[in-house]
Amino acid sequence: GFRTCLLTNTWLDDSAGRSLPAALRLRLRSHFDVILESCRIGMSKPDPGIYSYALEQLRVRPREV
């Protein structure tokens, strides 16, 4: 009955070692309803907008979390 979100401050990784973090994200994906990475949505913590965006993606209201 609970929806979960992984909210991270990350950057786009174009290094040679990027496959390890990418593999970790793939493994985590099955454990969360929503995964939000700051580099992909254009906001980062502690910007209040990122939390509003997360609530929208989870389809919940602040008082429900």
Side-chain angles (χ1 to χ4, degrees):
F2 291 102
R3 294 185 45 81
T4 59
C5 175
L6 175 62
L7 180 59
T8 68
N9 269 347
T10 55
W11 57 92
L12 291 176
D13 186 358
D14 60 357
S15 70
R18 69 181 174 262
S19 61
L20 188 59
L24 177 60
R25 282 191 299 278
L26 283 174
R27 290 192 65 157
L28 288 173
R29 193 163 298 284
S30 66
H31 298 284
F32 295 92
D33 296 299
V34 177
I35 294 180
L36 300 174
E37 297 176 90
S38 61
C39 64
R40 299 189 188 283
I41 62 174
M43 293 179 272
S44 61
K45 299 182 280 185
D47 178 349
I50 199 170
Y51 301 107
S52 297
Y53 185 79
L55 292 172
E56 289 172 17
Q57 296 304 302
L58 285 167
R59 298 185 302 271
V60 296
R61 292 175 289 205
R63 68 174 183 254
E64 296 176 308
V65 298

